[in-house]
mmCIF file of all heavy atoms in Angstrom:
data_model
loop_
_atom_site.group_PDB
_atom_site.id
_atom_site.type_symbol
_atom_site.label_atom_id
_atom_site.label_comp_id
_atom_site.label_asym_id
_atom_site.label_seq_id
_atom_site.Cartn_x
_atom_site.Cartn_y
_atom_site.Cartn_z
ATOM 1 N N ASN A 319 177.709 121.800 95.682
ATOM 2 C CA ASN A 319 178.062 120.735 94.737
ATOM 3 C C ASN A 319 179.559 120.444 94.742
ATOM 4 O O ASN A 319 179.983 119.296 94.623
ATOM 5 C CB ASN A 319 177.586 121.143 93.334
ATOM 6 C CG ASN A 319 176.065 121.230 93.270
ATOM 7 O OD1 ASN A 319 175.386 120.218 93.350
ATOM 8 N ND2 ASN A 319 175.537 122.438 93.154
ATOM 9 N N LEU A 320 180.339 121.503 94.915
ATOM 10 C CA LEU A 320 181.788 121.333 94.975
ATOM 11 C C LEU A 320 182.182 120.598 96.265
ATOM 12 O O LEU A 320 183.069 119.746 96.263
ATOM 13 C CB LEU A 320 182.422 122.728 94.935
ATOM 14 C CG LEU A 320 183.833 122.875 94.423
ATOM 15 C CD1 LEU A 320 184.030 122.177 93.096
ATOM 16 C CD2 LEU A 320 184.170 124.370 94.289
ATOM 17 N N ALA A 321 181.496 120.929 97.345
ATOM 18 C CA ALA A 321 181.753 120.257 98.622
ATOM 19 C C ALA A 321 181.485 118.755 98.478
ATOM 20 O O ALA A 321 182.261 117.916 98.953
ATOM 21 C CB ALA A 321 180.868 120.864 99.721
ATOM 22 N N VAL A 322 180.409 118.416 97.795
ATOM 23 C CA VAL A 322 180.057 117.005 97.594
ATOM 24 C C VAL A 322 181.091 116.310 96.704
ATOM 25 O O VAL A 322 181.506 115.174 96.964
ATOM 26 C CB VAL A 322 178.622 116.874 97.020
ATOM 27 C CG1 VAL A 322 178.335 115.449 96.557
ATOM 28 C CG2 VAL A 322 177.592 117.326 98.060
ATOM 29 N N ALA A 323 181.566 117.008 95.672
ATOM 30 C CA ALA A 323 182.580 116.409 94.784
ATOM 31 C C ALA A 323 183.860 116.118 95.569
ATOM 32 O O ALA A 323 184.455 115.041 95.432
ATOM 33 C CB ALA A 323 182.858 117.338 93.600
ATOM 34 N N ASP A 324 184.282 117.064 96.425
ATOM 35 C CA ASP A 324 185.487 116.836 97.246
ATOM 36 C C ASP A 324 185.359 115.549 98.061
ATOM 37 O O ASP A 324 186.269 114.724 98.082
ATOM 38 C CB ASP A 324 185.673 117.970 98.285
ATOM 39 C CG ASP A 324 186.124 119.293 97.692
ATOM 40 O OD1 ASP A 324 186.479 119.335 96.515
ATOM 41 O OD2 ASP A 324 186.109 120.294 98.458
ATOM 42 N N VAL A 325 184.235 115.405 98.748
ATOM 43 C CA VAL A 325 184.144 114.259 99.663
ATOM 44 C C VAL A 325 183.942 112.941 98.913
ATOM 45 O O VAL A 325 184.255 111.879 99.446
ATOM 46 C CB VAL A 325 183.091 114.454 100.787
ATOM 47 C CG1 VAL A 325 183.442 115.670 101.634
ATOM 48 C CG2 VAL A 325 181.679 114.538 100.269
ATOM 49 N N ARG A 326 183.482 113.021 97.688
ATOM 50 C CA ARG A 326 183.456 111.777 96.885
ATOM 51 C C ARG A 326 184.881 111.310 96.635
ATOM 52 O O ARG A 326 185.203 110.126 96.761
ATOM 53 C CB ARG A 326 182.774 112.023 95.537
ATOM 54 C CG ARG A 326 181.305 112.265 95.668
ATOM 55 C CD ARG A 326 180.670 112.466 94.328
ATOM 56 N NE ARG A 326 180.411 111.186 93.661
ATOM 57 C CZ ARG A 326 179.622 111.075 92.600
ATOM 58 N NH1 ARG A 326 179.055 112.143 92.069
ATOM 59 N NH2 ARG A 326 179.403 109.893 92.055
ATOM 60 N N PHE A 327 185.758 112.252 96.252
ATOM 61 C CA PHE A 327 187.167 111.906 96.037
ATOM 62 C C PHE A 327 187.788 111.399 97.336
ATOM 63 O O PHE A 327 188.537 110.420 97.346
ATOM 64 C CB PHE A 327 187.957 113.139 95.567
ATOM 65 C CG PHE A 327 187.662 113.569 94.149
ATOM 66 C CD1 PHE A 327 187.530 114.916 93.839
ATOM 67 C CD2 PHE A 327 187.546 112.644 93.119
ATOM 68 C CE1 PHE A 327 187.284 115.335 92.534
ATOM 69 C CE2 PHE A 327 187.299 113.050 91.810
ATOM 70 C CZ PHE A 327 187.164 114.396 91.518
ATOM 71 N N LEU A 328 187.471 112.083 98.439
ATOM 72 C CA LEU A 328 188.093 111.732 99.716
ATOM 73 C C LEU A 328 187.627 110.363 100.194
ATOM 74 O O LEU A 328 188.441 109.545 100.651
ATOM 75 C CB LEU A 328 187.785 112.819 100.755
ATOM 76 C CG LEU A 328 188.497 112.694 102.101
ATOM 77 C CD1 LEU A 328 190.010 112.549 101.929
ATOM 78 C CD2 LEU A 328 188.193 113.906 102.988
ATOM 79 N N ALA A 329 186.339 110.088 100.064
ATOM 80 C CA ALA A 329 185.819 108.785 100.515
ATOM 81 C C ALA A 329 186.449 107.657 99.696
ATOM 82 O O ALA A 329 186.839 106.619 100.236
ATOM 83 C CB ALA A 329 184.302 108.757 100.395
ATOM 84 N N GLU A 330 186.575 107.902 98.403
ATOM 85 C CA GLU A 330 187.176 106.876 97.538
ATOM 86 C C GLU A 330 188.640 106.636 97.931
ATOM 87 O O GLU A 330 189.095 105.490 98.061
ATOM 88 C CB GLU A 330 187.079 107.365 96.088
ATOM 89 C CG GLU A 330 187.438 106.328 95.054
ATOM 90 C CD GLU A 330 187.527 106.966 93.666
ATOM 91 O OE1 GLU A 330 186.554 107.632 93.240
ATOM 92 O OE2 GLU A 330 188.575 106.800 93.013
ATOM 93 N N ALA A 331 189.373 107.738 98.147
ATOM 94 C CA ALA A 331 190.797 107.630 98.501
ATOM 95 C C ALA A 331 190.982 106.940 99.850
ATOM 96 O O ALA A 331 191.869 106.092 100.013
ATOM 97 C CB ALA A 331 191.425 109.027 98.541
ATOM 98 N N LEU A 332 190.129 107.291 100.818
ATOM 99 C CA LEU A 332 190.232 106.655 102.144
ATOM 100 C C LEU A 332 189.876 105.180 102.049
ATOM 101 O O LEU A 332 190.469 104.347 102.730
ATOM 102 C CB LEU A 332 189.321 107.380 103.139
ATOM 103 C CG LEU A 332 189.801 108.774 103.566
ATOM 104 C CD1 LEU A 332 188.699 109.526 104.305
ATOM 105 C CD2 LEU A 332 191.055 108.668 104.448
ATOM 106 N N GLY A 333 188.927 104.868 101.160
ATOM 107 C CA GLY A 333 188.533 103.470 100.963
ATOM 108 C C GLY A 333 189.700 102.634 100.456
ATOM 109 O O GLY A 333 189.991 101.560 101.004
ATOM 110 N N THR A 334 190.412 103.113 99.440
ATOM 111 C CA THR A 334 191.528 102.305 98.905
ATOM 112 C C THR A 334 192.675 102.226 99.907
ATOM 113 O O THR A 334 193.359 101.214 99.989
ATOM 114 C CB THR A 334 192.078 102.848 97.555
ATOM 115 O OG1 THR A 334 192.000 104.247 97.556
ATOM 116 C CG2 THR A 334 191.347 102.312 96.375
ATOM 117 N N TRP A 335 192.821 103.267 100.696
ATOM 118 C CA TRP A 335 193.898 103.238 101.703
ATOM 119 C C TRP A 335 193.557 102.251 102.822
ATOM 120 O O TRP A 335 194.346 101.357 103.155
ATOM 121 C CB TRP A 335 194.100 104.654 102.270
ATOM 122 C CG TRP A 335 195.169 104.732 103.315
ATOM 123 C CD1 TRP A 335 196.449 104.242 103.232
ATOM 124 C CD2 TRP A 335 195.041 105.332 104.606
ATOM 125 N NE1 TRP A 335 197.127 104.511 104.391
ATOM 126 C CE2 TRP A 335 196.297 105.185 105.255
ATOM 127 C CE3 TRP A 335 194.021 106.005 105.278
ATOM 128 C CZ2 TRP A 335 196.539 105.672 106.542
ATOM 129 C CZ3 TRP A 335 194.277 106.494 106.551
ATOM 130 C CH2 TRP A 335 195.513 106.321 107.176
ATOM 131 N N LEU A 336 192.383 102.393 103.392
ATOM 132 C CA LEU A 336 192.055 101.590 104.573
ATOM 133 C C LEU A 336 191.731 100.134 104.228
ATOM 134 O O LEU A 336 191.927 99.244 105.045
ATOM 135 C CB LEU A 336 190.900 102.239 105.340
ATOM 136 C CG LEU A 336 191.283 103.575 105.992
ATOM 137 C CD1 LEU A 336 190.058 104.320 106.504
ATOM 138 C CD2 LEU A 336 192.275 103.353 107.129
ATOM 139 N N ARG A 337 191.233 99.898 103.010
ATOM 140 C CA ARG A 337 190.895 98.509 102.678
ATOM 141 C C ARG A 337 192.020 97.790 101.947
ATOM 142 O O ARG A 337 192.206 96.601 102.072
ATOM 143 C CB ARG A 337 189.594 98.446 101.878
ATOM 144 C CG ARG A 337 188.375 98.599 102.816
ATOM 145 C CD ARG A 337 187.055 98.349 102.155
ATOM 146 N NE ARG A 337 186.643 99.480 101.358
ATOM 147 C CZ ARG A 337 186.812 99.595 100.049
ATOM 148 N NH1 ARG A 337 187.340 98.612 99.368
ATOM 149 N NH2 ARG A 337 186.424 100.667 99.415
ATOM 150 N N GLN A 338 192.784 98.559 101.117
ATOM 151 C CA GLN A 338 193.831 97.894 100.324
ATOM 152 C C GLN A 338 195.236 98.362 100.683
ATOM 153 O O GLN A 338 196.215 97.904 100.079
ATOM 154 C CB GLN A 338 193.593 98.159 98.830
ATOM 155 C CG GLN A 338 192.245 97.643 98.330
ATOM 156 C CD GLN A 338 191.850 98.302 97.006
ATOM 157 O OE1 GLN A 338 192.711 98.799 96.279
ATOM 158 N NE2 GLN A 338 190.573 98.304 96.685
ATOM 159 N N GLY A 339 195.338 99.326 101.573
ATOM 160 C CA GLY A 339 196.656 99.804 101.993
ATOM 161 C C GLY A 339 197.366 100.667 100.965
ATOM 162 O O GLY A 339 198.566 100.945 101.102
ATOM 163 N N ARG A 340 196.641 101.114 99.933
ATOM 164 C CA ARG A 340 197.306 101.934 98.911
ATOM 165 C C ARG A 340 197.055 103.421 99.169
ATOM 166 O O ARG A 340 195.919 103.846 99.319
ATOM 167 C CB ARG A 340 196.803 101.546 97.510
ATOM 168 C CG ARG A 340 197.384 100.209 97.060
ATOM 169 C CD ARG A 340 197.211 99.982 95.579
ATOM 170 N NE ARG A 340 195.808 99.738 95.261
ATOM 171 C CZ ARG A 340 195.081 100.464 94.427
ATOM 172 N NH1 ARG A 340 195.634 101.487 93.796
ATOM 173 N NH2 ARG A 340 193.827 100.177 94.204
ATOM 174 N N GLU A 341 198.155 104.198 99.189
ATOM 175 C CA GLU A 341 198.039 105.617 99.550
ATOM 176 C C GLU A 341 197.921 106.556 98.360
ATOM 177 O O GLU A 341 197.819 107.767 98.527
ATOM 178 C CB GLU A 341 199.276 106.045 100.365
ATOM 179 C CG GLU A 341 199.211 105.613 101.802
ATOM 180 C CD GLU A 341 200.175 106.387 102.699
ATOM 181 O OE1 GLU A 341 200.243 107.620 102.573
ATOM 182 O OE2 GLU A 341 200.850 105.727 103.497
ATOM 183 N N THR A 342 197.958 105.993 97.146
ATOM 184 C CA THR A 342 197.994 106.867 95.963
ATOM 185 C C THR A 342 196.785 107.801 95.909
ATOM 186 O O THR A 342 196.917 108.958 95.542
ATOM 187 C CB THR A 342 198.054 106.040 94.657
ATOM 188 O OG1 THR A 342 197.097 104.986 94.779
ATOM 189 C CG2 THR A 342 199.424 105.478 94.383
ATOM 190 N N GLY A 343 195.624 107.298 96.270
ATOM 191 C CA GLY A 343 194.408 108.125 96.236
ATOM 192 C C GLY A 343 194.536 109.320 97.163
ATOM 193 O O GLY A 343 194.160 110.444 96.815
ATOM 194 N N LEU A 344 195.101 109.084 98.344
ATOM 195 C CA LEU A 344 195.284 110.184 99.303
ATOM 196 C C LEU A 344 196.281 111.198 98.755
ATOM 197 O O LEU A 344 196.095 112.408 98.882
ATOM 198 C CB LEU A 344 195.766 109.646 100.653
ATOM 199 C CG LEU A 344 194.761 108.783 101.432
ATOM 200 C CD1 LEU A 344 195.387 108.313 102.740
ATOM 201 C CD2 LEU A 344 193.458 109.524 101.700
ATOM 202 N N ASP A 345 197.330 110.682 98.120
ATOM 203 C CA ASP A 345 198.345 111.575 97.560
ATOM 204 C C ASP A 345 197.781 112.418 96.416
ATOM 205 O O ASP A 345 198.231 113.534 96.177
ATOM 206 C CB ASP A 345 199.558 110.773 97.070
ATOM 207 C CG ASP A 345 200.299 110.129 98.244
ATOM 208 O OD1 ASP A 345 200.103 110.598 99.389
ATOM 209 O OD2 ASP A 345 201.034 109.157 98.021
ATOM 210 N N GLU A 346 196.819 111.849 95.692
ATOM 211 C CA GLU A 346 196.251 112.569 94.544
ATOM 212 C C GLU A 346 195.066 113.449 94.932
ATOM 213 O O GLU A 346 194.579 114.236 94.118
ATOM 214 C CB GLU A 346 195.758 111.562 93.483
ATOM 215 C CG GLU A 346 196.882 110.914 92.700
ATOM 216 C CD GLU A 346 196.380 109.752 91.839
ATOM 217 O OE1 GLU A 346 195.150 109.523 91.781
ATOM 218 O OE2 GLU A 346 197.234 109.087 91.248
ATOM 219 N N TYR A 347 194.584 113.289 96.168
ATOM 220 C CA TYR A 347 193.340 113.958 96.568
ATOM 221 C C TYR A 347 193.326 115.453 96.238
ATOM 222 O O TYR A 347 192.427 115.958 95.559
ATOM 223 C CB TYR A 347 193.096 113.751 98.075
ATOM 224 C CG TYR A 347 191.986 114.619 98.631
ATOM 225 C CD1 TYR A 347 190.655 114.359 98.316
ATOM 226 C CD2 TYR A 347 192.264 115.726 99.439
ATOM 227 C CE1 TYR A 347 189.636 115.176 98.806
ATOM 228 C CE2 TYR A 347 191.255 116.534 99.928
ATOM 229 C CZ TYR A 347 189.941 116.258 99.613
ATOM 230 O OH TYR A 347 188.943 117.060 100.073
ATOM 231 N N SER A 348 194.332 116.169 96.694
ATOM 232 C CA SER A 348 194.313 117.624 96.545
ATOM 233 C C SER A 348 194.309 118.041 95.067
ATOM 234 O O SER A 348 193.485 118.850 94.642
ATOM 235 C CB SER A 348 195.516 118.227 97.272
ATOM 236 O OG SER A 348 195.573 119.605 97.041
ATOM 237 N N ALA A 349 195.201 117.461 94.290
ATOM 238 C CA ALA A 349 195.292 117.851 92.871
ATOM 239 C C ALA A 349 194.005 117.507 92.121
ATOM 240 O O ALA A 349 193.537 118.266 91.268
ATOM 241 C CB ALA A 349 196.487 117.154 92.223
ATOM 242 N N ARG A 350 193.428 116.372 92.486
ATOM 243 C CA ARG A 350 192.200 115.934 91.824
ATOM 244 C C ARG A 350 191.057 116.919 92.123
ATOM 245 O O ARG A 350 190.304 117.299 91.236
ATOM 246 C CB ARG A 350 191.858 114.548 92.381
ATOM 247 C CG ARG A 350 191.251 113.619 91.391
ATOM 248 C CD ARG A 350 191.128 112.240 92.020
ATOM 249 N NE ARG A 350 190.162 111.466 91.288
ATOM 250 C CZ ARG A 350 189.599 110.352 91.751
ATOM 251 N NH1 ARG A 350 189.917 109.894 92.951
ATOM 252 N NH2 ARG A 350 188.734 109.707 91.012
ATOM 253 N N CYS A 351 190.956 117.317 93.391
ATOM 254 C CA CYS A 351 189.922 118.299 93.768
ATOM 255 C C CYS A 351 190.177 119.640 93.100
ATOM 256 O O CYS A 351 189.257 120.280 92.582
ATOM 257 C CB CYS A 351 189.909 118.532 95.277
ATOM 258 S SG CYS A 351 189.262 117.165 96.220
ATOM 259 N N LEU A 352 191.451 120.083 93.143
ATOM 260 C CA LEU A 352 191.735 121.451 92.708
ATOM 261 C C LEU A 352 191.475 121.679 91.224
ATOM 262 O O LEU A 352 191.131 122.785 90.815
ATOM 263 C CB LEU A 352 193.175 121.836 93.084
ATOM 264 C CG LEU A 352 193.351 122.117 94.583
ATOM 265 C CD1 LEU A 352 194.828 122.178 94.962
ATOM 266 C CD2 LEU A 352 192.655 123.427 94.985
ATOM 267 N N ARG A 353 191.582 120.624 90.415
ATOM 268 C CA ARG A 353 191.246 120.804 88.993
ATOM 269 C C ARG A 353 189.781 121.192 88.844
ATOM 270 O O ARG A 353 189.427 122.040 88.046
ATOM 271 C CB ARG A 353 191.558 119.538 88.192
ATOM 272 C CG ARG A 353 193.037 119.391 87.886
ATOM 273 C CD ARG A 353 193.285 118.427 86.763
ATOM 274 N NE ARG A 353 193.120 117.046 87.194
ATOM 275 C CZ ARG A 353 194.076 116.346 87.789
ATOM 276 N NH1 ARG A 353 195.251 116.877 88.016
ATOM 277 N NH2 ARG A 353 193.845 115.100 88.152
ATOM 278 N N ARG A 354 188.937 120.541 89.627
ATOM 279 C CA ARG A 354 187.508 120.877 89.588
ATOM 280 C C ARG A 354 187.252 122.247 90.243
ATOM 281 O O ARG A 354 186.474 123.046 89.737
ATOM 282 C CB ARG A 354 186.722 119.772 90.308
ATOM 283 C CG ARG A 354 185.235 119.855 90.100
ATOM 284 C CD ARG A 354 184.496 118.694 90.762
ATOM 285 N NE ARG A 354 183.089 118.814 90.474
ATOM 286 C CZ ARG A 354 182.495 118.346 89.391
ATOM 287 N NH1 ARG A 354 183.186 117.672 88.489
ATOM 288 N NH2 ARG A 354 181.215 118.532 89.195
ATOM 289 N N VAL A 355 187.934 122.492 91.357
ATOM 290 C CA VAL A 355 187.752 123.758 92.084
ATOM 291 C C VAL A 355 188.034 124.962 91.172
ATOM 292 O O VAL A 355 187.241 125.904 91.104
ATOM 293 C CB VAL A 355 188.674 123.805 93.332
ATOM 294 C CG1 VAL A 355 188.731 125.203 93.932
ATOM 295 C CG2 VAL A 355 188.216 122.791 94.373
ATOM 296 N N TRP A 356 189.138 124.918 90.446
ATOM 297 C CA TRP A 356 189.480 126.067 89.595
ATOM 298 C C TRP A 356 188.547 126.176 88.384
ATOM 299 O O TRP A 356 188.251 127.282 87.926
ATOM 300 C CB TRP A 356 190.950 126.025 89.174
ATOM 301 C CG TRP A 356 191.836 126.527 90.284
ATOM 302 C CD1 TRP A 356 192.706 125.790 91.039
ATOM 303 C CD2 TRP A 356 191.914 127.870 90.791
ATOM 304 N NE1 TRP A 356 193.314 126.590 91.982
ATOM 305 C CE2 TRP A 356 192.851 127.869 91.851
ATOM 306 C CE3 TRP A 356 191.274 129.071 90.467
ATOM 307 C CZ2 TRP A 356 193.163 129.020 92.571
ATOM 308 C CZ3 TRP A 356 191.592 130.218 91.184
ATOM 309 C CH2 TRP A 356 192.534 130.184 92.223
ATOM 310 N N ARG A 357 188.078 125.047 87.871
ATOM 311 C CA ARG A 357 187.095 125.104 86.772
ATOM 312 C C ARG A 357 185.827 125.798 87.262
ATOM 313 O O ARG A 357 185.279 126.684 86.611
ATOM 314 C CB ARG A 357 186.776 123.664 86.289
ATOM 315 C CG ARG A 357 185.593 123.550 85.339
ATOM 316 C CD ARG A 357 185.988 123.759 83.871
ATOM 317 N NE ARG A 357 186.448 125.077 83.532
ATOM 318 C CZ ARG A 357 185.672 126.154 83.274
ATOM 319 N NH1 ARG A 357 184.367 126.055 83.322
ATOM 320 N NH2 ARG A 357 186.210 127.296 82.950
#
Side-chain angles (χ1 to χ4, degrees):
N319 295 291
L320 205 50
V322 169
D324 288 350
V325 300
R326 290 181 81 166
F327 288 138
L328 187 52
E330 190 189 306
L332 288 168
T334 35
W335 179 50
L336 292 169
R337 281 189 282 97
Q338 300 162 22
R340 286 195 289 121
E341 281 198 45
T342 45
L344 293 179
D345 293 341
E346 285 170 5
Y347 169 72
S348 175
R350 215 173 161 196
C351 288
L352 286 167
R353 282 198 285 276
R354 192 177 182 86
V355 168
W356 280 110
R357 169 87 294 279

